[in-house]
Amino acid sequence: MVTSNLYFDNRRKNEKSHSLRINISKDRKTASFPLGIQLTEEQWDKENEKVINHSEAKFWNNFISRRKVEIETLILKLEDDPTIGLSQMTAKDVRDFLVLKICPEKANNSVTTKSKKEENTFLIWYDRATERKKNRTKDIFLATRRRLVEWIGEEKLSKVKFEDIKISWLEDFNDFLLNRNNSINSISIHLRNIRTIINYAIDNEVTTNYPFRRFKIKSEPTRKRNFDITTLRRIFNHQCEEEWQVKYLDFFKLTFMLIGINVIDLCYLERINQGRIEYLRSKTHRPYSIKVEKEAKAIIEKYAGEKYLVNFIDKYENYRHFYNNLCKGLKAIKEQLKIDELTTYWARHSWATIAHRIGISKDIIAQALGHGSHTVTDIYIEVDPKQVDEANRKVLDYVLYGDNNKPKRGRPPKLIKL
C-alpha cells in the first residue's frame, strides 16, 4: 500500500525558511519530493496542514489542495493497473513516477550524461517516444522501462543500441519476466512496447534492425470481467448483513446506473444540469453527458452532498481513504454473495455486456462508454445523446425489472433497496 502526506522539512534549524515536501511511503520506506514552497516556522500550521501568516496563503493552500488530489489520483491508478507492477516498485520508484507525471521537466535527468551523447541508443529513443504518449498509455510505457531497468540496470540499459536487440536479448528479457511471475499478457504488453519503439526508430531512419521478424509475442485470452444477468440481479437485490456496507453497495449500483462511471469522477460530480451529469473523465479527459434516470436520482438524493453532488467522500480525509473503504465494503458483500469478484470496474464491463446481449449496437455501446477512433469521420458526425439515453434505459429496465417487466408510471422499483 502506498501513502502520501505533507512534510515540513525543518530539520535545519539554522535556516530561516524550510521546504514543504510530499512524502511517499511504501513498505516502510519513504521518498519525498519538494512542492516548491519555502516557509518559515510561523507560516506553517502543522496540525491543520495549512499556510498561515503569508501574503499568498490562499494561493498556496489552493495549490497544495489540488496537488494532493492529483497525487492521490495517480497513486490510485498505480494500484488499479496490474500492468504497471506496483508490487515490485519501491517508494523511490513511486516518487519518480509521480514526479514524471506531475513535473516531467524535473524528471528529464534520469538518462545519464554519457548516454545523452549517444543520440541513437535504444533508451534515448524510448524516452523520447514515451514523452509523446498520454495518460494510461504513457504509464504502461514507463512500467516497461522500469522492468528493463530491473533486468539489466539503468547504466547498462543506457548503452544498449538497436543493433544489440536480437532474438536472444528478447528471449532473456521474456525469461526474466516469467521468473518474476508476470502473466503471459503482461509480458506481451512489455514486448509490444519495445516493438513500438523499434518501429519508431525505423520510421526515423535510426536503425534497420527488426528482431520481431522471427520473435513471436505470445498472448492468451483475457479473462472476462462482467457479471451474468442472474448474478447482477442478486447484487442489486442483496440485503447487506451490516448497516455500514449499504453505502458501498449503493455506490456500486449508482456506478452501474451511470454507465460504469469511474469512482473518482462520481465522487467529484458537482451537480445535475437539466437532468444530466456532465463531466470530463479523469482518465481520458473526454467529455461525458449522462441522463440521470429516476433510480439513479433516488440514490443521489439519499446521499446528497453539500460541496459535491453526493457525500461519499465528505467524511473521509481524502478520496483514496474512501476508495480503500469502498474496496473493503465490496469485498465483504462479495463474500456474502459467494461470488468471485465485486468491484466498480466490473460495473462498466457488465453494462456493456448486457447492452450487447439485449440487442444494442456496438456503435451505441462504444458511444456510451466514450470510446472512439478519433478519425476524420468522427469529426463530422454529430453525436446524438438520445441514443445513449435510450440504451441505458433499456439496460436498467432489463436488469432491474426483467425482460418485459418495466413498472408502470408511479410504481416504485421492485429490486432496488434504498
Side-chain angles (χ1 to χ4, degrees):
M1 180 178 177
V2 179
T3 59
S4 67
N5 63 281
L6 290 169
Y7 170 57
F8 185 56
D9 188 6
N10 60 348
R11 292 172 294 178
R12 298 173 181 171
K13 298 297 182 181
N14 59 324
E15 295 184 359
K16 184 176 180 181
S17 62
H18 308 283
S19 174
L20 186 62
R21 309 175 71 88
I22 291 283
N23 271 356
I24 304 299
S25 301
K26 183 179 185 292
D27 300 331
R28 299 182 181 180
K29 300 290 184 180
T30 300
S32 69
F33 63 91
L35 288 173
I37 305 174
Q38 292 289 129
L39 303 169
T40 64
E41 300 253 7
E42 294 76 20
Q43 292 172 335
W44 180 244
D45 182 349
K46 182 178 179 180
E47 183 177 350
N48 296 308
E49 294 190 330
K50 287 187 176 181
V51 178
I52 58 174
N53 303 324
H54 192 288
S55 59
E56 297 184 6
K58 184 177 180 179
F59 170 82
W60 285 124
N61 285 327
N62 286 335
F63 171 82
I64 292 167
S65 178
R66 291 196 304 272
R67 186 65 90 205
K68 285 172 66 177
V69 170
E70 190 174 12
I71 289 169
E72 296 293 341
T73 302
L74 287 170
I75 291 174
L76 179 60
K77 288 181 178 180
L78 275 175
E79 294 177 335
D80 281 350
D81 193 340
T83 62
I84 295 179
L86 178 61
S87 61
Q88 299 172 9
M89 294 173 68
T90 65
K92 184 177 180 298
D93 290 334
V94 177
R95 188 271 313 275
D96 292 344
F97 171 86
L98 295 174
V99 171
L100 187 58
K101 296 293 290 183
I102 296 172
C103 310
E105 70 282 356
K106 294 182 180 180
N108 288 334
N109 296 325
S110 60
V111 181
T112 63
T113 303
K114 187 173 182 180
S115 67
K116 286 182 180 179
K117 294 178 181 179
E118 300 180 36
E119 290 296 329
N120 290 337
T121 61
F122 170 73
L123 188 57
I124 287 291
W125 283 89
Y126 194 100
D127 289 342
R128 185 177 297 177
T130 301
E131 281 302 309
R132 296 175 180 269
K133 308 297 180 183
K134 295 182 179 179
N135 302 320
R136 186 172 181 271
T137 302
K138 187 173 184 178
D139 294 342
I140 294 172
F141 271 80
L142 291 172
T144 299
R145 190 189 195 281
R146 286 193 295 274
R147 299 295 87 75
L148 288 166
V149 170
E150 290 172 5
W151 175 43
I152 58 176
E154 179 89 25
E155 183 177 357
K156 190 173 180 179
L157 181 62
S158 68
K159 298 176 182 178
V160 172
K161 297 181 179 180
F162 287 99
E163 291 70 25
D164 298 326
I165 304 178
K166 303 180 185 300
I167 293 178
S168 59
W169 192 91
L170 295 170
E171 288 174 341
D172 289 345
F173 181 52
N174 184 84
D175 291 343
F176 166 79
L177 295 174
L178 281 173
N179 291 332
R180 298 292 295 269
N181 295 321
N182 285 265
S183 68
I184 296 297
N185 285 343
S186 293
I187 294 173
S188 72
I189 290 172
H190 296 311
L191 291 169
R192 287 200 303 270
N193 288 345
I194 294 172
R195 185 177 63 186
T196 297
I197 302 305
I198 292 176
N199 284 328
Y200 179 59
I202 291 173
D203 291 342
N204 282 275
E205 300 181 353
V206 172
T207 185
T208 58
N209 181 49
Y210 187 71
F212 288 93
R213 188 173 291 107
R214 293 186 178 89
F215 181 89
K216 301 302 179 183
I217 300 175
K218 298 178 181 179
S219 63
E220 57 187 12
T222 304
R223 181 172 67 97
K224 297 298 183 182
R225 297 176 178 177
N226 58 271
F227 297 111
D228 59 71
I229 186 61
T230 301
T231 301
L232 193 56
R233 285 172 177 164
R234 283 180 59 213
I235 293 170
F236 269 83
N237 203 33
H238 180 64
Q239 293 288 331
C240 296
E241 293 179 0
E242 298 184 45
E243 183 63 29
W244 67 272
Q245 299 160 359
V246 174
K247 173 172 65 176
Y248 303 115
L249 181 58
D250 285 342
F251 191 94
F252 175 87
K253 293 177 182 179
L254 185 57
T255 299
F256 182 87
M257 293 173 186
L258 297 178
I259 316 180
I261 187 173
N262 185 271
V263 175
I264 190 169
D265 294 325
L266 176 52
C267 286
Y268 289 109
L269 290 175
E270 294 186 351
R271 64 184 181 278
I272 296 176
N273 183 19
Q274 295 183 343
R276 311 184 72 85
I277 57 168
E278 296 173 335
Y279 64 99
L280 290 177
R281 192 180 180 201
S282 59
K283 181 178 178 179
T284 62
H285 300 288
R286 298 190 65 164
Y288 275 61
S289 178
I290 301 174
K291 181 182 178 181
V292 180
E293 298 292 342
K294 60 182 181 294
E295 296 88 350
K297 187 177 180 181
I299 297 178
I300 290 171
E301 290 176 347
K302 179 179 179 181
Y303 298 97
E306 296 181 3
K307 183 177 180 181
Y308 298 107
L309 181 62
V310 286
N311 65 8
F312 290 109
I313 62 172
D314 285 358
K315 297 181 180 179
Y316 293 89
E317 182 179 345
N318 55 45
Y319 155 71
R320 283 195 66 249
H321 285 185
F322 165 73
Y323 180 80
N324 291 335
N325 282 277
L326 171 65
C327 293
K328 293 176 183 177
L330 293 181
K331 181 180 179 181
I333 296 168
K334 175 194 75 173
E335 292 170 352
Q336 294 165 23
L337 288 164
K338 297 181 180 180
I339 56 179
D340 293 334
E341 192 58 83
L342 180 59
T343 69
T344 54
Y345 192 69
W346 282 58
R348 185 173 175 85
H349 282 248
S350 297
W351 190 97
T353 301
I354 290 171
H356 182 258
R357 190 165 295 165
I358 62 176
I360 296 170
S361 72
K362 290 184 178 180
D363 288 340
I364 299 301
I365 294 171
Q367 183 180 321
L369 299 176
H371 296 167
S373 58
H374 298 288
T375 64
V376 174
T377 305
D378 293 329
I379 297 173
Y380 288 99
I381 295 176
E382 183 177 355
V383 175
D384 183 4
K386 290 183 180 179
Q387 293 178 312
V388 174
D389 297 344
E390 291 171 359
N392 192 31
R393 185 65 263 171
K394 289 179 181 178
V395 169
L396 295 186
D397 285 341
Y398 180 69
V399 173
L400 301 178
Y401 313 117
D403 299 338
N404 297 301
N405 189 29
K406 184 177 179 181
K408 296 180 180 179
R409 184 175 298 179
R411 183 181 297 176
K414 292 182 178 180
L415 295 180
I416 296 179
K417 300 293 190 290
L418 296 178

